[in-house]
Amino acid sequence: MKKITAIIRPEKLEELKDALNEKGVHGMTVYECMGCGSQRGWTEYYRGKPVMLNMIPKVKVELVVNNAQVDGLIDLICEVARTGEVGDGKIFVYPVEECVRIRTGERGLRAV
Ligand SMILES: Nc1ncnc2c1ncn2[C@@H]1O[C@H](COP(=O)(O)OP(=O)(O)OP(=O)(O)O)[C@@H](O)[C@H]1O
Ligand SMILES: [Mg+2]
C-alpha cells in the first residue's frame, strides 16, 4: 500500500475528485492548506511582525491505494491538475504499513 499526497490548486479539486471517482478511487482525505514551492515564501515585516507574502492557499488530497495503482494515478493527477504555470503543485508517495477498517476489523488491502 502507498499513500499518495497531491498538493494542488484549490480550483482543481472538483475535477480531480470526479476523475478519481471514475477510476474507482473513492477513499480520500482532503485538507485546505497553505504552502510555497521552489519560488519560496518571502517575509516582510508589518507592524513589527513577519508576514509571509506568498503562502498560497492549496488543497492537499491524500489517497491510500495499492502499489499497482500508483503510476496511473500520478499520471491522472498530473493530467487534471496541470495548467503549465508555476504553482501547479506536487505529488509525494509514501509507503503505508497498515490499514484497518474500524467497522469490520478488516486489515490491509481489503480494508483500503
Ligand atoms: N518540497 C516540498 N515539501 C513540501 N511541500 C511542498 C514542497 N514543494 C511544494 N510543496 C507544496 O506544494 C505547493 C505547490 O508547490 P509548487 O507547485 O509551487 O512547487 P514548485 O516546486 O515551486 O513547482 P513550480 O516551479 O511549478 O511552481 C506548495 O504551495 C506547497 O504547499
Ligand atoms: Mg512554485
Side-chain angles (χ1 to χ4, degrees), residues 13-108:
L13 176 62
E14 279 305 308
E15 197 184 334
L16 179 60
K17 211 177 62 187
D18 291 347
L20 290 168
N21 284 343
E22 265 180 38
K23 296 281 175 201
V25 177
H26 301 294
M28 68 186 79
T29 307
V30 175
Y31 308 78
E32 287 182 333
C33 57
M34 305 276 283
C36 52
S38 54
Q39 287 76 27
R40 290 195 291 276
W42 65 86
T43 305
E44 286 207 358
Y45 284 83
Y46 175 72
R47 294 185 173 168
K49 294 208 170 98
V51 181
M52 288 291 271
L53 283 184
N54 69 344
M55 281 299 216
I56 309 290
K58 297 286 172 186
V59 164
K60 185 166 94 170
V61 180
E62 213 174 75
L63 312 163
V64 174
V65 299
N66 71 50
N67 296 1
Q69 290 175 288
V70 172
D71 287 338
L73 289 175
I74 288 174
D75 290 346
L76 179 77
I77 294 165
C78 287
E79 202 174 292
V80 172
R82 181 179 292 135
T83 68
E85 301 296 322
V86 297
D88 274 350
K90 209 157 270 187
I91 299 171
F92 301 101
V93 180
Y94 312 81
V96 172
E97 286 195 8
E98 185 59 292
C99 169
V100 180
R101 176 173 286 119
I102 293 174
R103 175 174 58 85
T104 58
E106 290 164 291
R107 285 173 175 251

